[in-house]
Amino acid sequence: MLGPADVRELAAALGVRPTKQRGQNFVIDANTVRRIVRTAGVRPDDTVVEVGPGLGSLTLALLEAAAWVTAVEIDDVLADALPATVAARLPERAGDFALVHSDAMRITELPGPPPTAMVANLPYNVAVPVLLHMLATFPTVERTLVMVQAEVADRLAAPPGSKVYGVPSVKAAWYAEVKRAGAIGRNVFWPAPNVDSGLVSLVRRAAPPQTSATKKEVFAVVDAAFAQRRKTLRAALAGWAGSAAAAETALVAAGISPQARGESLTVEEFAAIAEHAPGR
């Protein structure tokens, strides 16, 4: 496990300075890392994918708990160094580790067995798109635990009717049952961020919502509804439907009030609207 001194020593040896551009904040507290692995429910037979491993604090803890770990790292220096850190700190498990040097938003396949779990300290500036991309690309991932900015955690786990319910909430709900799984203090990071962090648990649904519409069609309705979230759905979906009247027709056919707002709808209700898209 890497403690505060280990993390700073390793960073200094590599000439690494955490950058805001990549949202890098390295976890330096071993207890927090163990708590993340425990909360994620990582099992001895799991194949875990980790996005943004940084210097390897969480990677080492995951390797102690899982059968296999694949880490995806975009930073050149960090990607080059991580295999050596694993080999030095956990030599008996180095053969059960793979590193993918890539942008997580671009990957479509991973080495090793299909992943069953994802655990990640996601860079705050790309957390939602990376999470949604990974859920879409790797359907074998049953359980996910991500550490994100507290505000993003609230949005992801928000239920319909909540003030912070929005596009991330609905799209995450397409794939999984989502809930907050705890808070993380600022002092466990180096450098300490100026925002609080939160853990979000996502357990994949047995199947997406039953609908004849495609995910792309449903997500188009979601995007349109929240692009003008203060407006009624009749007005907000006018562009999507071609006119406010056409939007009203689709909404009525789906059993949704044209005067409702997007923040009150479940993912299943968005799917029902998509099924009644004009010209479909």
Side-chain angles (χ1 to χ4, degrees), residues 19-27 120-130 146-153 155 184-186 188-189 191-199:
T19 71
K20 279 188 177 179
Q21 181 191 354
R22 289 195 170 150
Q24 291 170 329
N25 297 92
F26 302 130
V27 181
N121 170 19
L122 289 177
Y124 291 167
N125 50 349
V126 293
V128 171
V130 166
V146 292
M147 180 158 54
V148 294
Q149 188 175 332
E151 188 184 326
V152 175
R155 278 197 216 122
I184 301 285
R186 303 179 186 194
V188 304
F189 295 98
N194 55 9
V195 292
D196 293 321
S197 301
L199 297 174

Side-chain angles (χ1 to χ4, degrees), residues 19-41:
T19 71
K20 279 188 177 179
Q21 181 191 354
R22 289 195 170 150
Q24 291 170 329
N25 297 92
F26 302 130
V27 181
I28 56 173
D29 181 65
N31 287 331
T32 297
V33 165
R34 289 190 188 98
R35 178 186 157 203
I36 291 168
V37 174
R38 193 169 60 246
T39 305

Side-chain angles (χ1 to χ4, degrees), residues 135-225:
L135 288 171
T137 307
F138 301 103
T140 56
V141 170
E142 302 159 3
R143 286 159 288 117
T144 295
L145 186 80
V146 292
M147 180 158 54
V148 294
Q149 188 175 332
E151 188 184 326
V152 175
D154 289 339
R155 278 197 216 122
L156 283 166
S162 161
K163 284 183 180 178
V164 294
Y165 183 73
V167 172
S169 329
V170 185
K171 291 185 178 179
W174 172 271
Y175 299 104
E177 299 293 334
V178 189
K179 65 176 184 179
R180 278 293 299 260
I184 301 285
R186 303 179 186 194
N187 60 346
V188 304
F189 295 98
W190 173 69
N194 55 9
V195 292
D196 293 321
S197 301
L199 297 174
V200 181
S201 163
L202 301 99
V203 177
R204 191 177 290 272
R205 302 166 68 129
Q210 282 195 320
T211 175
S212 62
T214 64
K215 180 181 72 177
K216 186 178 179 182
E217 289 171 333
V218 176
F219 282 12
V221 179
V222 175
D223 288 335

Side-chain angles (χ1 to χ4, degrees), residues 233-248:
L233 286 169
R234 183 184 191 277
L237 297 181
W240 165 80
S243 70
E248 180 166 346

Side-chain angles (χ1 to χ4, degrees), residues 109-124:
E109 56 185 11
L110 293 167
T116 56
M118 179 167 81
V119 185
N121 170 19
L122 289 177
Y124 291 167

Side-chain angles (χ1 to χ4, degrees), residues 231-236 244 247-249 251-252 255-261:
K231 294 188 174 183
T232 64
L233 286 169
R234 183 184 191 277
E248 180 166 346
T249 300
L251 287 160
V252 171
I256 310 291
S257 166
Q259 301 310 307
R261 286 177 170 78

